[in-house]
Structure formats: C-alpha cells, structure tokens
Amino acid sequence: MDDFLIKFFPDVYKRKHVHLKETDYCKYDNQLLTLFTSSLYFSALVMTFFASYLTRKKGRKASIIVGALSFLAGAILNAAAQNIAMLIIGRVFLGGGIGFGNQAVPLYLSEMAPAKNRGAVNQLFQFTTCFGILVANLINYFTDKVHPHGWRISLGLAAIPATLMLLGGIFCAETPNSLVEQGRFDEARKVLEKVRGTKNVDAEYQDLVEASEEAQAVTSPFRTLLERKYRPQLVIGALGIPAFQQLTGNNSILFYAPVIFQSIGFGANAALFSSFITNGALLVATVISMFLVDKFGRRKFFLEAGFEMICCMIATAVALALDFGHGKELSKSVSYFLVIVIFLFVLAYGRSWGPLGWLVPSELFPLEIRSSAESIVVCVNMIFTALVAQLFLMSLCHLKYGIFLLFAALIIFMSLFIFFLLPETKQVPIEEIYLLFENHWFWKGIVGQRDQHSVKAAAV
C-alpha cells in the first residue's frame, strides 16, 4: 500500500513509482523492507522452543492459547505503529504466535483424528491458512482505498482470527495423547471415546499408555531425537521436509505475479487478481489433497506434483530469459502463458509440499519425542522461510531468471529424497509408524528392529 510505504519506506515508494510499468528485477530490493517481513520468521523459530516445553508439560491447548495471545498483541502493536521499531516489535509478537501455533496445531489435529482420516483432518490446517490469505488479500483491496490509515485497519483486523483462536484454545478438549502424557488417564479415555464416537477404544488407548510410559523414561527429548532409532524421523520429518517446503520456490513464483497481471492489462487491480487466482488455486489444490491424500497416499502426491513443479519452474525461467527485465512490459502472449504456468505451479504445490509439509512430519514422530521434534520442524521451516524472505529479492536482482532454474534443481533433489527415503504412511496409526522404518530398504540397516513381534505386525 502506498500510504504504508510513504510512512515507513519512502525510498521504496519512490523507486516503485519511477519504475511503475517496468519489469525490473531489482525494484523491491531493500534489506530494511525484507527485515520487516523476515523478523516474523526469526521470532517464530526462537519461540518454537518455548512452545515445545509448554506443549509437552501443559498440553497442546496451552500452546494454542499462548500463541493466540501473542497474535493479539502483535495485531494491536502493528495497527498502532508510529515507527519501524513498533512495526518490527509487532511482527515479533506475530512470529511468537506462529511459533506456538505451528508447533501445537498440526500436532493437535494429528492426535485427535482417527488414522483413516488423519490426512484430511490435518490438511484443514493448510486449507484454513490459504483461506485466511485469500480473505486478507480481499480486505487489503478495500482498505487500500481508505486513506491514509487503511493499512492500520488491515493489520489491526488480525485481532479477529487471534480472538477466535483464543476461544478455540479455551473451549476445545485436550488431546488424549497429551492427557496420558500428563498422567490424566481417566480423562484421556473419555476424550478418546468422545472423538472416536465409540466405547471400543481399548487397543488405541493401550497404545497411548505404552507410548506414554516410554516417553516418561525420556529425560532429554532433544538429545533422544539424535539416537539411531529416530534417525529417519530426524532426517525426513524434522530436517528434510520442512526445509524443502520453503525451497520449492513457491513464495518466489508468487512474488512477481502482480507484475505479470499488470502486463496483461489489469492495471491497478493486478495484485488483487493475482492473489485471487493464486490463492484460489491453493484452496482448490488443498481441497483435492484433503479428499484424496488418504486414498492415494503421501508419496504419490509428492512425486506427481514435484514433476509438474519442475516443468513450471523451467518454463518460467525460459519465458523470463527471453522477454523480461529489459525495462519494457511483457508481451501479452508471454504474460498469458506465465499466468497458466503460475496457476499450474500453485495447484501442484497446494496439493503436495504445501499441506504435506506439515502433515507428514506431524505423523512420523512417536510420543516420547513428538513435542521436541515438532519444535524442530517449525524451527527449520522458519529458518528457511526467513532466509528465502531475506535473500530472495536480492537473489532475484543478481541471478535474474536463473533463480527459477535453481529452484527447479532443488525440486528434482527433494523429489529423489522422497522417492528413496520416505515410506508410505497413509492409514497407519501414529504409534506404529516406526514399524515402517524397521522394514524400509534403507532405514532398517540404521534403526534395527525392536523385537520379532514388531516384524510380524509390520508384515501384517
């Protein structure tokens, strides 16, 4: 918003309007502006470790409540901001909300959902995130016309979902896994019977109790995560997938969408139309994934969508290499082509690395390391989100179209990572996931086998 740029980033405002109709790779390369963006992610990665302790000791609800309060404080500070310091402090509080929320919510959903529906339920996290982005962009479109304080309305309205999150945290039941972990066994069984809709929960309840007993023996969960028997969970769930989710280039290909739409002729409404199309594609893709991921599995979605994303990145690089960054507008034919490519890329990301980047890690970890491992997931995700946010505009300025070829190469690597190292987890109870690794062609040589009963159970 121009009013926002004039107040806080006047240099960026001037540069933007000097090159308003040009396709300039370096137009928004401003480190203070990117620090405003990435401060949220740096805050989130620090706060997630506090979230781990709270989630383990006081439950998933406690982290959701603290996250909501942090969101609320950030929204108020941002709406009232008089200088960049207030803005960044507000962003730090918002980052705290992300640190606690992203650590607890996927965990909460995975633990509450029955195994056969766990994928769909967990992906409500991604679906509502995409829906929130769409609503936020619609609000920004209308508040942009409110001068000079429309941006304050946009930032302040974040208090509404923060309040809803707070009420949800207060009134929703704690997960059976967390209640067992806290020694509240009777309450855990009642909640389990309620969410499963049946009294016949003996087997699942016994799995939770046994997992809890093993978890109680763990005094240092972060050190425990480094043991050989948890090496697959560490490499795939805690490090690989959350890092790769940000290295797909999804944020980068969305960044120049407004420029492309402006070239087609949407003019001042370019940002709105691009947001509707890209975020609409994310919503559609997430719905597809919600309904089909428990049927076709995680691996197929990762690999099929990965191939599409590679093709889209290469197509984008070729198009931009031929007709972009020369101080002129894109031709109509190239612009229309890129709109289709962007839509297909977002559609592929939105049913694979977007939702599965949160789902798969949340279902890989056994109870004894779950909270600490989920913190590392969020931390790694936030580190790479912050790095991409801080370095992308500078990299785009220097590498130009080459950055999209770099992302294509990264997607090839991460697709091979999934193909060779990730077993299929669909409809497998969380407390039995470790059996998949004990019988995996690569991981079985690292983790070994606990006992013969495990081998037979896995075979069945």
Side-chain angles (χ1 to χ4, degrees):
M1 294 182 182
D2 284 347
D3 290 328
F4 180 81
L5 291 177
I6 289 168
K7 183 169 180 63
F8 298 107
F9 303 99
D11 291 343
V12 177
Y13 172 79
K14 290 173 187 174
R15 201 187 316 165
K16 171 187 172 184
H17 282 269
V18 167
H19 303 282
L20 188 61
K21 292 189 176 181
E22 294 180 10
T23 52
D24 181 2
Y25 280 110
C26 301
K27 193 186 299 185
Y28 292 100
D29 182 20
N30 180 287
Q31 288 302 296
L32 189 60
L33 180 61
T34 52
L35 177 62
F36 165 69
T37 302
S38 56
S39 59
L40 179 145
Y41 305 116
F42 286 122
S43 170
L45 69 90
V46 172
M47 290 298 180
T48 187
F49 290 105
F50 294 98
S52 170
Y53 177 83
L54 188 66
T55 303
R56 189 171 70 254
K57 295 296 184 182
K58 301 296 182 182
R60 287 47 167 157
K61 281 181 53 160
S63 279
I64 292 172
I65 291 169
V66 171
L69 291 172
S70 190
F71 272 128
L72 198 56
I76 293 169
L77 270 172
N78 274 179
Q82 297 300 319
N83 49 53
I84 291 177
M86 279 188 75
L87 271 182
I88 292 179
I89 292 169
R91 293 283 287 180
V92 167
F93 274 102
L94 292 175
I98 288 179
F100 280 91
N102 279 12
Q103 201 271 353
V105 174
L107 208 56
Y108 186 95
L109 293 172
S110 287
E111 291 180 347
M112 281 299 218
K116 65 178 181 178
N117 302 120
R118 190 173 63 240
V121 171
N122 195 283
Q123 288 194 56
L124 285 170
F125 178 73
Q126 175 74 5
F127 176 81
T128 49
T129 300
C130 296
F131 182 73
I133 294 169
L134 195 63
V135 171
N137 280 304
L138 183 61
I139 290 169
N140 287 342
Y141 172 69
F142 289 107
T143 56
D144 189 31
K145 304 177 191 303
V146 181
H147 301 288
H149 297 303
W151 61 271
R152 293 189 188 277
I153 299 171
S154 285
L155 296 177
L157 284 175
I160 294 176
T163 303
L164 293 173
M165 182 177 169
L166 178 61
L167 293 173
I170 292 170
F171 292 109
C172 287
E174 183 59 89
T175 71
N177 309 61
S178 180
L179 291 169
V180 168
E181 201 172 17
Q182 296 172 56
R184 296 153 66 183
F185 297 103
D186 292 339
E187 195 177 341
R189 185 172 182 105
K190 287 177 183 176
V191 171
L192 189 60
E193 290 174 356
K194 184 177 180 181
V195 295
R196 298 293 180 260
T198 176
K199 297 279 187 181
N200 185 24
V201 294
D202 292 343
E204 186 175 0
Y205 177 73
Q206 192 57 40
D207 280 345
L208 294 182
V209 172
E210 290 174 2
S212 177
E213 288 172 355
E214 189 170 343
Q216 296 299 325
V218 175
T219 55
S220 178
F222 285 104
R223 193 179 300 129
T224 302
L225 182 58
L226 299 177
E227 293 178 5
R228 282 179 68 93
K229 64 179 179 179
Y230 301 122
R231 196 63 47 81
Q233 289 91 334
L234 175 67
V235 173
I236 301 173
L239 301 176
I241 289 177
F244 291 150
Q245 186 189 45
Q246 294 307 315
L247 293 174
T248 55
N250 181 61
N251 292 335
S252 62
I253 203 167
L254 294 184
F255 176 78
Y256 256 86
V259 174
I260 295 162
F261 281 78
Q262 183 179 314
S263 302
I264 293 174
F266 286 129
N269 291 333
L272 173 70
F273 283 100
S274 65
S275 296
F276 273 1
I277 285 187
T278 53
N279 290 300
L282 276 175
L283 274 178
V284 171
T286 307
V287 171
I288 292 170
S289 190
M290 281 172 60
F291 283 102
L292 298 180
V293 73
D294 286 318
K295 180 179 180 182
F296 293 106
R298 286 66 163 146
R299 281 169 53 87
K300 287 182 180 177
F301 271 76
F302 271 129
L303 297 173
E304 177 270 330
F307 176 75
E308 285 184 40
M309 290 161 69
I310 293 164
C311 294
C312 289
M313 279 297 186
I314 293 173
T316 301
V318 171
L320 296 181
L322 296 175
D323 201 29
F324 190 88
H326 306 298
K328 62 186 179 69
E329 292 190 31
L330 290 168
S331 65
K332 289 286 190 294
S333 58
V334 172
S335 295
Y336 282 119
F337 171 74
L338 285 176
V339 169
I340 295 169
V341 170
I342 286 175
F343 184 84
L344 291 175
F345 178 88
V346 174
L347 202 61
Y349 173 86
R351 68 176 185 275
S352 58
W353 284 97
L356 299 185
W358 294 108
L359 167 64
V360 174
S362 73
E363 61 187 7
L364 289 183
F365 308 120
L367 186 63
E368 62 267 24
I369 59 166
R370 189 169 300 155
S371 183
S372 56
E374 198 67 33
S375 288
I376 294 176
V377 170
V378 177
C379 181
V380 171
N381 189 287
M382 290 302 119
I383 287 172
F384 280 88
T385 302
L387 287 173
V388 170
Q390 194 68 28
L391 298 177
F392 170 68
L393 295 181
M394 183 174 64
S395 301
L396 184 67
C397 183
H398 294 288
L399 295 178
K400 299 182 170 56
Y401 63 85
I403 193 170
F404 297 101
L405 293 176
L406 174 62
F407 283 127
L410 287 169
I411 298 170
I412 291 172
F413 177 79
M414 61 186 77
S415 296
L416 291 172
F417 177 88
I418 293 295
F419 181 79
F420 288 110
L421 298 181
L422 178 68
E424 183 53 65
T425 60
K426 69 172 182 177
Q427 299 184 10
V428 179
I430 290 180
E431 308 306 336
E432 296 178 13
I433 292 289
Y434 72 92
L435 298 173
L436 299 175
F437 295 116
E438 290 185 358
N439 291 275
H440 185 270
W441 71 273
F442 177 77
W443 294 117
K444 67 182 179 182
I446 295 174
V447 302
Q449 292 177 335
R450 299 190 187 185
D451 52 50
Q452 290 303 310
H453 174 72
S454 297
V455 180
K456 292 176 183 177
V460 172

